[in-house]
Amino acid sequence: MLDSPTETKEYINIAGDPTYVNLALKFAYGEKEMDVLGDKLAAVQTLSGTGSLRIGGEFLAQFSKSGQNSIYIPDPTWGNHIAVFREAGLDVQRYRYYNPKTNRLDMDGMVEDLRNAPEGSIVLLHACAHNPTGCDPTRDQWKVLSDLCKEKCLRVFFDSAYQGFASGDAEADAYALRFFVKEGHGGLMLSQSFAKNFGLYGERVGTLSVLTGGDEERERVLSQLKLIVRPMYSSPPIHGSGVVRTGLSSESLR
């Protein structure tokens, strides 16, 4: 970056650095998968994961049908989830996630609570390395959850803040997201943060993506995301995204 004659400190556009965004999406959704998903993902660069969640929350609050503005988040979860989504205008509800008596996932409680959620509700899922427990569903349990979300028409919002930290393999840690995409969860949303896996805590590097039905819908969704970003922070910072762009575009560093 220091040697590049094209690097500047000018403002970037509202949606962020498109090269960085595309590389971030490949990191999460898979390089081969992006050949199919590329024209379906509406995505913007964000102020790390917190900014991504807030923009996603605002989008959902604005465009959810009447009676479908509840978001179900795990109990326990990252403490800021509650405030972020409440401030965005969503009705925050909880679902059981962890049983401290057994130190295991409370799968039965989780399934029961999500089954009782009204159809069309939003469900927040930690993509991997659940914060604060570190306890993730197995692949068989992810299948059960995917089927339940489809049965109840629950809208899935993945929070991916630790890709690479759960197993040490970033590809393996993307399993849940990629599985839900493969299973056909239309409207799926993903919040990404590069604070932890790139050590860029103070640079505020993230993305928000929405899986749409195709090019026309993608453009409509992207337009609305930019309308949310513009009065909130106008455009994202560029240095941290440049670091991620450099790392993900280099075969030796990746």
Side-chain angles (χ1 to χ4, degrees):
M1 290 172 64
L2 291 174
D3 294 334
S4 173
T6 60
E7 290 287 338
T8 72
K9 294 300 180 184
E10 295 293 336
Y11 288 124
I12 200 165
N13 65 58
I14 297 171
D17 176 355
T19 303
Y20 153 78
V21 170
N22 187 55
L23 288 166
L25 297 180
K26 287 181 179 179
F27 183 67
Y29 292 93
E31 194 152 355
K32 292 182 180 179
E33 288 81 355
M34 281 297 292
D35 291 338
V36 177
L37 297 175
D39 64 346
K40 297 180 180 180
L41 288 170
V44 294
Q45 181 180 336
T46 62
L47 304 184
S48 201
T50 304
S52 175
L53 293 165
R54 179 60 185 267
I55 294 166
E58 296 259 1
F59 177 81
L60 289 166
Q62 288 186 27
F63 295 102
S64 291
K65 295 178 180 178
S66 177
Q68 294 185 351
N69 72 327
S70 292
I71 184 165
Y72 284 75
I73 64 176
D75 184 12
T77 193
W78 177 53
N80 210 22
H81 276 145
I82 299 169
V84 166
F85 290 123
R86 279 182 179 164
E87 290 298 318
L90 294 174
D91 172 41
V92 176
Q93 301 291 329
R94 310 300 296 271
Y95 62 82
R96 284 169 283 176
Y97 186 84
Y98 185 73
N99 186 337
K101 293 181 180 179
T102 62
N103 289 327
R104 294 178 183 273
L105 180 73
D106 185 358
M107 185 65 177
D108 291 340
M110 183 178 182
V111 167
E112 181 179 2
D113 290 346
L114 292 181
R115 189 175 297 281
N116 289 332
E119 287 198 4
S121 297
I122 309 147
V123 56
L124 182 80
L125 299 170
H126 294 226
C128 67
H130 176 270
N131 181 1
T133 69
C135 182
D136 296 328
T138 65
R139 293 192 174 190
D140 287 342
Q141 288 171 330
W142 278 124
K143 175 67 165 65
V144 172
L145 294 171
S146 172
D147 290 345
L148 176 58
C149 288
K150 287 197 290 186
E151 176 190 334
K152 294 286 297 184
C153 299
L154 301 178
R155 292 173 288 160
V156 177
F157 194 164
F158 273 106
D159 184 3
S160 181
Y162 297 95
Q163 187 178 346
F165 273 47
S167 67
D169 181 344
E171 291 294 300
D173 286 355
Y175 173 80
L177 168 70
R178 296 178 189 180
F179 177 73
F180 272 62
V181 171
K182 184 179 178 181
E183 289 290 286
H185 289 267
L188 177 147
M189 298 174 68
L190 170 67
S191 166
Q192 288 174 270
S193 167
F194 289 98
K196 290 85 177 176
N197 50 15
F198 270 74
L200 295 171
Y201 296 90
E203 297 293 347
R204 316 310 291 149
V205 190
T207 60
L208 173 71
S209 52
V210 183
L211 181 59
T212 71
D215 187 66
E216 184 179 347
E217 183 183 352
R218 180 196 65 184
E219 290 303 310
R220 294 200 303 268
V221 171
L222 182 59
S223 175
Q224 295 303 319
L225 293 177
K226 290 193 286 187
L227 286 172
I228 295 170
V229 169
R230 177 60 173 162
M232 189 181 292
Y233 58 85
S234 191
S235 65
I238 61 175
H239 183 78
S241 59
V243 174
V244 175
R245 182 187 68 231
T246 301
L248 293 181
S249 61
S250 167
E251 195 67 37
S252 60
L253 293 174
R254 190 172 53 190

